[in-house]
């Protein structure tokens, strides 16, 4: 598990498993916005698991970004079209638009993403751990820095970058407990609707 000595903004929420207000939700800003949740009553847990990046993964990501840099394919992997129009070319700077999905981008922004991926790759080669070098603000891809937004899966946060392909997934651990015999009087049970 990847826990750092970081400030945890903690509060109690409704546990999706035992339906008690006992889920301690810990929100972290570092190395990127993420959430770790653990129920103080039944033991349910949810947290994000970052993508494992191998040497081959970096090669594939940098190749893909290189093709987007020259306008060979659409910036958005969800489209993947090769019907790209060059809107402007001034020296090494270019602007592109995808004729299928309408995405627009420029070569400077893609070059910044490439440089960021290369800096993470270099830092890992120098012996750093992945989560020590993946840094991002709210909504940014922690690998390339593109603003992709983050998806909330229950209480945890998942990342899917449509530019470089980086992703994290949410792992839930559902405890093997009999909820009918669960006793946690200190945690309020939610009211049944209907």
């Amino acid at each position: 598990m990847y826990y750092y000595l970081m400030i945890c903004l903690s509060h109690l929420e409704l546990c999706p498993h035992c339906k008690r207000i006992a889920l301690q939700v810990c929100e972290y800003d570092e190395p990127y916005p993420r959430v770790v949740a653990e129920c103080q009553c039944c033991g349910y847990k949810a947290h994000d698991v970052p993508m494992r990046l191998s040497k081959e993964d970096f090669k594939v990501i940098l190749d893909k970004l290189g093709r987007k840099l020259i306008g060979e394919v659409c910036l958005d992997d969800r489209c993947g079209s090769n019907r790209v129009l060059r809107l402007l070319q001034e020296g090494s700077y270019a602007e592109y638009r995808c004729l299928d999905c309408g995405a627009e981008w420029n070569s400077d922004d893609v070059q910044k993403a490439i440089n960021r991926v290369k800096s993470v790759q270099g830092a890992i080669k120098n012996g750093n751990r992945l989560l020590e070098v993946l840094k991002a603000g709210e909504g940014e891809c922690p690998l390339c820095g593109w603003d992709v937004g983050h998806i909330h899966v229950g209480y945890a946060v998942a990342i899917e970058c449509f530019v470089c392909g980086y992703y994290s997934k949410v792992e839930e651990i559902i405890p093997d407990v009999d909820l009918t015999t669960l006793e946690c009087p200190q945690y309020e049970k939610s009211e049944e609707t209907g």
Side-chain angles (χ1 to χ4, degrees):
M1 196 67 55
Y2 329 100
Y3 295 106
Y4 291 98
L5 297 174
M6 287 174 263
I7 297 169
C8 160
L9 179 61
S10 178
H11 56 281
L12 290 179
E13 297 270 350
L14 180 68
C15 175
H17 187 63
C18 71
K19 307 296 187 236
R20 293 181 184 268
I21 301 174
L23 187 71
Q24 183 172 21
V25 177
C26 216
E27 298 181 32
Y28 296 96
D29 286 333
E30 293 286 330
Y32 51 84
R34 45 194 297 270
V35 173
V36 176
E38 183 171 354
C39 183
Q40 305 302 298
C41 182
C42 71
Y44 168 87
K45 294 178 186 173
H47 61 94
D48 69 305
V49 179
M51 177 181 180
R52 296 203 184 277
L53 290 166
S54 68
K55 189 174 170 181
E56 187 60 34
D57 292 323
F58 277 109
K59 184 177 181 239
V60 168
I61 289 167
L62 289 170
D63 179 58
K64 179 194 317 188
L65 289 173
R67 292 176 45 216
K68 293 175 180 187
L69 178 71
I70 61 172
E72 190 177 303
V73 293
C74 179
L75 177 74
D76 192 329
D77 287 345
R78 297 168 296 189
C79 171
S81 172
N82 60 3
R83 293 179 4 105
V84 175
L85 177 66
R86 182 180 295 132
L87 301 172
L88 176 71
Q89 176 84 46
E90 290 179 2
S92 63
Y93 176 82
E95 292 180 359
Y96 303 101
R97 176 183 297 140
C98 175
L99 295 174
D100 288 330
C101 74
E104 291 189 9
W105 68 99
N106 67 61
S107 57
D108 284 357
D109 289 341
V110 177
Q111 187 60 56
K112 284 180 199 168
I114 289 171
N115 293 343
R116 187 161 164 170
V117 171
K118 284 181 176 179
S119 74
V120 169
Q121 182 183 31
I124 291 172
K125 280 182 184 174
N126 290 338
N128 293 304
R129 291 181 36 213
L130 183 62
L131 284 185
E132 292 171 356
V133 293
L134 285 181
K135 305 259 185 233
E138 182 65 45
E140 288 181 346
C141 170
L143 181 59
C144 74
W146 211 275
D147 185 6
V148 293
H150 293 166
I151 306 160
H152 288 269
V153 179
Y155 292 98
V157 179
I159 301 167
E160 281 185 42
C161 182
F162 57 85
V163 176
C164 73
Y166 177 86
Y167 64 89
S168 68
K169 62 182 179 181
V170 172
E171 184 175 283
E172 286 185 305
I173 300 167
I174 298 175
D176 186 19
V177 293
D178 183 357
L179 296 178
T180 59
T181 61
L182 193 63
E183 300 262 344
C184 298
Q186 70 273 36
Y187 297 109
E188 183 182 335
K189 192 162 170 94
S190 70
E191 304 231 352
E192 297 286 329
T193 55

